[in-house]
Amino acid sequence: MLYDNRIAAAFLEGRPVTEEKHFYLLQEYKEADPKRRDIVQELDSQLESIVEEFPTFNKELFEAVFPNYREQLETVCIMAVVGTKENRIVKSEEGLCILIDLIHIADYTRILSQMTYIMQNYITLVITKLCIRHRYPLSTHHYLDMLDDMTFTHGLANWLAWNRNCKEYKFQDDRYEPHKEKAFGMLAQAITIENKALQHTVLHKALHSDFWNQFTAVAGMFYFDDIYRDLGKEGIVLLYRHGPKNFIQTIFHE
């Protein structure tokens, strides 16, 4: 992966961000407060280290699932910016860019380690989805195929991005049981829906609700964790190689 901090550097040096080459990528640009330069400088350094060391979460497992990820991500650029509307993926003239607004990150919390976690989580999540899509391009808009793909892709991505080491995940704890039951219950209901309008509503809500109501992602995440508890790294690799086709059927009829 590439790292580009020219927009963040312009802000830190007091130069006009609007004159930077990639300024056109910033959505609804708003000039950042100069008083935030110290935290932007620190996060710029942290983000550069994350990119250099990627993957920083579940490294061994990530490399087993995506053995060719370095080639796939060779032209992907992580761009440190300020003043944009949100963190997002965009296409530049050079290729795919993942914009990370460092002030947005700092607005979530006052604790530096938590800011670093947010960046690691987001980058792992986005990169995992890119790697999955490289192998399993979405070639249909059939409702059940979309549900399979969302459960598989968002489930694996969120599971790998949850924290540094999946061996230490606590998804077996009682506090997660209500989320697990709800997600699997909603998924079981979703696959029975035949009304086209209602199908559209279900897919939209699964993508755009608050996290614990994104039932496809949550159910998929818990299922990948269950497989890891039972079969370890080899189980995750095999499940990934199986791909998204009939993935929900696998969950309910393993």
Side-chain angles (χ1 to χ4, degrees):
M1 283 191 298
L2 307 172
Y3 185 63
D4 186 334
N5 70 341
R6 283 176 286 183
I7 288 177
F11 168 71
L12 291 172
E13 295 164 11
R15 295 184 285 107
V17 169
T18 55
E19 295 179 7
E20 287 301 310
K21 177 181 179 181
H22 291 107
F23 171 74
Y24 71 95
L25 297 175
L26 304 189
Q27 189 178 43
E28 297 182 23
Y29 174 72
K30 182 179 180 181
E31 188 173 348
D33 184 349
K35 294 178 182 177
R36 310 297 295 278
R37 282 182 179 141
D38 285 348
I39 192 60
V40 167
Q41 185 170 26
E42 179 61 39
L43 291 179
D44 177 28
S45 175
Q46 293 282 336
L47 182 56
E48 186 172 16
S49 295
I50 292 169
V51 174
E52 288 176 354
E53 297 167 12
F54 185 86
T56 55
F57 282 3
N58 293 300
K59 184 178 182 66
E60 181 184 356
L61 184 52
F62 189 96
E63 292 179 340
V65 174
F66 308 114
N68 300 316
Y69 79 94
R70 294 185 189 279
E71 295 117 45
Q72 294 170 12
L73 304 176
E74 191 174 9
T75 61
V76 173
C77 181
I78 306 292
M79 191 173 292
V81 303
V82 295
T84 190
K85 183 181 178 182
E86 59 187 354
N87 301 326
R88 63 194 185 107
I89 304 175
V90 296
K91 284 187 177 180
S92 73
E93 297 167 353
E94 293 85 8
L96 207 60
C97 290
I98 301 171
L99 303 186
I100 308 290
D101 190 302
L102 301 181
I103 291 181
H104 279 334
I105 300 297
D107 284 343
Y108 282 108
T109 175
R110 295 186 178 185
I111 302 172
L112 181 60
S113 62
Q114 292 178 355
M115 297 177 197
T116 302
Y117 167 81
I118 291 168
M119 293 192 294
Q120 289 173 314
N121 170 268
Y122 180 72
I123 291 171
T124 306
L125 188 72
V126 171
I127 293 300
T128 300
K129 290 177 184 178
L130 290 177
C131 289
I132 294 171
R133 193 59 69 223
H134 188 273
R135 177 162 181 173
Y136 299 110
L138 187 60
S139 58
T140 176
H141 292 286
H142 186 274
Y143 173 68
L144 292 178
D145 292 335
M146 293 286 287
L147 279 179
D148 275 326
D149 183 86
M150 289 163 61
T151 307
F152 176 84
T153 301
H154 297 278
L156 179 56
N158 278 282
W159 186 72
L160 285 173
W162 192 257
N163 218 315
R164 185 169 294 275
N165 188 343
C166 59
K167 294 178 182 178
E168 300 174 1
Y169 290 1
K170 306 295 184 183
F171 289 140
Q172 308 303 315
D173 289 1
D174 290 345
R175 62 188 167 127
Y176 287 109
E177 195 60 32
H179 296 302
K180 194 171 187 176
E181 289 184 5
K182 180 179 178 181
F184 284 129
M186 291 178 71
L187 189 63
Q189 289 181 335
I191 60 177
T192 67
I193 294 172
E194 298 182 357
N195 179 276
K196 297 293 184 182
L198 190 53
Q199 288 177 350
H200 178 79
T201 299
V202 167
L203 292 175
H204 183 270
K205 287 186 175 180
L207 284 174
H208 301 289
S209 299
D210 62 275
F211 178 72
W212 290 115
N213 284 312
Q214 294 176 26
F215 65 91
T216 49
V218 175
M221 180 179 72
F222 282 132
Y223 182 64
F224 275 103
D225 192 68
D226 287 343
I227 292 297
Y228 182 76
R229 300 300 150 199
D230 291 341
L231 301 173
K233 178 177 71 175
E234 291 75 16
I236 297 297
V237 172
L238 285 173
L239 192 57
Y240 177 70
R241 289 176 180 169
H242 176 271
K245 186 174 177 60
N246 298 321
F247 184 67
I248 297 172
Q249 185 177 347
T250 303
I251 293 176
F252 290 126
H253 302 94
E254 66 172 321

